[in-house]
Amino acid sequence: MNDIDLIKELIDNNYVKRAIGDIAEKYKIPKSELKKFYTLTFFSEIAEDIDLKKLTEINIQEIEKMISEDKKQKFKFIKTEFKNILEKCLYIAVTNGFKVNINNIDSGIMTSNAGDSAEFIFVARAILAGFNCSSVDVRSSRYDAIIDYNNKLLRVQIKGISTGNNISFKDRDRGGQGIDYTNERNRGKRITSQDCDIFVAVDKQVGICYIIPMDWADRLDDNHCVNIKLEDIYTYKENWDVIKQKVL
């Protein structure tokens, strides 16, 4: 079995995603790993055919059409900077976001590392934004980072978003061999303002941060808090002013 065989199997199934399970079973490969292989391979192949500068120019032209007449001169003023950042963003898009586990680290270890990566992404971005921010090294702490703003310390809990379009203000239940997941002590606890002042959800694919004040999350009922759609927290998407507002 080689990569060519796997690609041929999907071609024979007309690229239908439902066939991935059968192919994975046939070749004794985890379904998630096979889907990842197809996704990365096709992104790489498609990227070879894309001229980023041309794609950027096409997008700039479309954006120009959307802008009202009274803002045309303003757009002209920032057009060069807009094109430069847009080309960088399009590169991330056509390569399927930030690279993930290219060294094939064990899945259990990678899950833990990925959690750390979300924390580091936020801390780096907070520092870049001009905030005095650092990680908290004590694993048992209910918050992951501290921001010192105007001589006030803010506790920040950070969670990574890898797939899906929702977040939860509740810890995962503890599981694994030898752990009784029905025991109350192993049940995930709700995250409240008693634990942290700010909750940050980090999209690990592109680095976008949702910066949410916990007094907003505290108002959610117990059922709603476990499944919040990203569209419901759009106002907090890249909203770094939340940090400043917490000390007013």
Side-chain angles (χ1 to χ4, degrees):
M1 185 262 313
N2 54 43
D3 293 353
I4 295 175
D5 293 330
L6 294 176
I7 298 295
K8 185 177 182 304
E9 288 279 1
L10 194 61
I11 292 173
D12 292 342
N13 283 277
N14 296 314
Y15 294 95
V16 174
K17 288 185 177 180
R18 292 194 302 273
I20 294 176
D22 292 335
I23 300 171
E25 185 176 351
K26 177 179 178 179
Y27 289 96
K28 309 301 180 186
I29 302 171
K31 181 180 176 180
S32 60
E33 289 300 314
L34 184 57
K35 184 178 180 181
K36 177 183 174 182
F37 163 74
Y38 286 137
T39 299
L40 294 178
T41 299
F42 297 159
F43 259 97
S44 178
E45 291 181 2
I46 296 300
E48 293 174 357
D49 291 350
I50 296 176
D51 183 328
L52 275 179
K53 291 192 178 299
K54 185 176 180 180
L55 181 59
T56 301
E57 189 58 45
I58 292 171
N59 277 270
I60 286 291
Q61 291 171 8
E62 289 300 314
I63 291 168
E64 254 179 316
K65 293 177 185 177
M66 298 177 184
I67 296 172
S68 58
E69 285 299 323
D70 61 311
K71 296 178 182 176
K72 295 289 186 185
Q73 287 299 108
K74 295 175 182 178
F75 181 73
K76 183 178 180 181
F77 183 83
I78 63 169
K79 187 173 181 178
T80 298
E81 291 83 355
F82 206 124
K83 286 177 67 174
N84 289 340
I85 192 68
L86 182 59
E87 184 174 336
K88 294 175 184 178
C89 293
L90 287 172
Y91 173 81
I92 293 296
V94 302
T95 54
N96 195 31
F98 299 153
K99 302 302 180 189
V100 177
N101 198 15
I102 58 176
N103 292 323
N104 295 315
I105 296 173
D106 176 82
S107 60
I109 296 174
M110 188 59 210
T111 298
S112 177
N113 288 351
D116 289 340
S117 75
E119 177 184 325
F120 297 145
I121 288 171
F122 171 74
V123 170
R125 292 214 51 211
I127 293 171
L128 188 61
F131 293 100
N132 186 357
C133 181
S134 59
S135 296
V136 173
D137 292 332
V138 181
R139 288 270 180 177
S140 60
S141 172
R142 292 289 285 166
Y143 50 92
D144 306 297
I146 286 287
I147 293 177
D148 182 350
Y149 182 69
N150 280 0
N151 296 318
K152 181 173 180 179
L153 296 179
L154 297 173
R155 303 163 300 161
V156 185
Q157 182 164 152
I158 305 160
K159 299 293 185 184
I161 308 170
S162 52
T163 59
N165 292 303
N166 53 50
I167 63 171
S168 174
F169 290 99
K170 185 179 179 183
D171 297 325
R172 296 191 190 93
D173 295 339
R174 292 184 63 207
Q177 187 173 5
I179 295 178
D180 179 10
Y181 65 89
T182 63
N183 190 300
E184 187 63 29
R185 292 179 300 176
N186 296 323
R187 292 292 184 92
K189 296 180 180 179
R190 177 167 178 172
I191 302 163
T192 72
S193 55
Q194 295 295 312
D195 304 307
C196 56
D197 304 297
I198 294 172
F199 180 98
V200 177
V202 178
D203 187 326
K204 293 179 291 186
Q205 191 174 29
V206 293
I208 290 173
C209 295
Y210 296 81
I211 305 164
I212 307 162
M214 283 308 300
D215 49 6
W216 178 86
D218 283 348
R219 294 195 292 270
L220 302 170
D221 63 45
D222 288 341
N223 291 325
H224 190 201
C225 77
V226 298
N227 188 18
I228 304 296
K229 295 180 180 179
L230 294 184
E231 61 189 49
D232 295 336
I233 54 171
Y234 185 83
T235 187
Y236 298 119
K237 187 176 184 178
E238 288 295 309
N239 190 346
W240 294 87
D241 284 340
V242 165
I243 297 170
K244 297 180 181 180
Q245 292 163 359
K246 287 297 293 184
V247 301
L248 294 179

